[in-house]
Amino acid sequence: MKQSKKKEKTLAVIIPCFNSSGTIERALRSIFSQTRAPDEIIVVDDCSEDFQKTIKIVKKFHDVQLIRNRQNIGPSATRNVGIWKCNSDIVTFLDADDECHELRFELQLNEIFFSFRSSLRSNFLKFFVESKNKYQFNKNIYKNRHQVEKYNDF
């Protein structure tokens, strides 16, 4: 009898930033030091004055998607842009002026999947809609999609 393998859920980290060229590198380094690496890292710049510096910093890291809002829309809407652009099953956030412990993602994912009660306290957000026995991100929940520019071709 053939056993089916459970596919591990994918994880995206969204970093909203505004004039954060002085701190974004530290935040990215903390993500790249995780024991459970994320599948996607998305930096969403909210029309910063120091965007050119941010580009240079993000270029140092591989597989980081950089998006820039065409106008300043605030931190909440900037997070929503990152959610809208990601393709992962699970989304978490990291502020550009923050850093995370190297076990953060591993421990939080364990809490979500192995401890129901604790998963209710987790700061991870799940955005799923069941469709054809498959979970998909519900991009339709964001009706006010702001124009963004994608800067991942460097």
Side-chain angles (χ1 to χ4, degrees), residues 28-42:
L28 287 168
R29 286 192 191 286
S30 74
I31 291 171
F32 279 92
S33 70
Q34 292 294 302
T35 55
R36 197 300 192 176
D39 302 288
E40 286 183 283
I41 303 169
I42 302 172

Side-chain angles (χ1 to χ4, degrees), residues 53-114:
K53 291 180 183 177
T54 301
I55 290 174
K56 290 178 184 176
I57 293 166
V58 170
K59 280 183 183 181
K60 296 177 186 178
F61 299 89
H62 61 85
D63 297 329
V64 176
Q65 184 180 21
L66 178 60
I67 298 169
R68 184 177 194 211
N69 298 333
R70 291 182 189 243
Q71 64 183 26
N72 184 276
I73 58 176
S76 297
T78 298
R79 283 182 184 89
N80 291 346
V81 168
I83 292 169
W84 178 51
K85 289 292 187 179
C86 83
N87 295 308
S88 293
D89 299 315
I90 299 170
V91 177
T92 191
F93 302 99
L94 179 66
D95 290 338
D97 63 348
D98 205 353
E99 59 186 306
C100 50
H101 188 275
E102 64 187 14
L103 295 173
R104 175 185 169 186
F105 303 151
E106 180 181 346
L107 293 174
Q108 288 181 317
L109 287 171
N110 284 339
E111 288 296 308
I112 287 173
F113 295 113
F114 300 113

Side-chain angles (χ1 to χ4, degrees), residues 15-28 43 45 48-58 60-61 96-97:
I15 306 174
C17 67
F18 178 74
N19 291 336
S20 302
S21 64
T23 58
I24 190 79
E25 185 169 359
R26 184 183 70 204
L28 287 168
V43 175
D45 182 87
S48 297
E49 294 173 8
D50 65 353
F51 182 63
Q52 293 304 316
K53 291 180 183 177
T54 301
I55 290 174
K56 290 178 184 176
I57 293 166
V58 170
K60 296 177 186 178
F61 299 89
D97 63 348

Side-chain angles (χ1 to χ4, degrees), residues 121-133:
R121 295 189 306 259
S122 174
N123 77 341
F124 273 91
L125 302 176
K126 292 180 176 181
F127 294 91
F128 296 108
V129 178
E130 188 160 351
S131 171
K132 298 181 184 174
N133 297 325

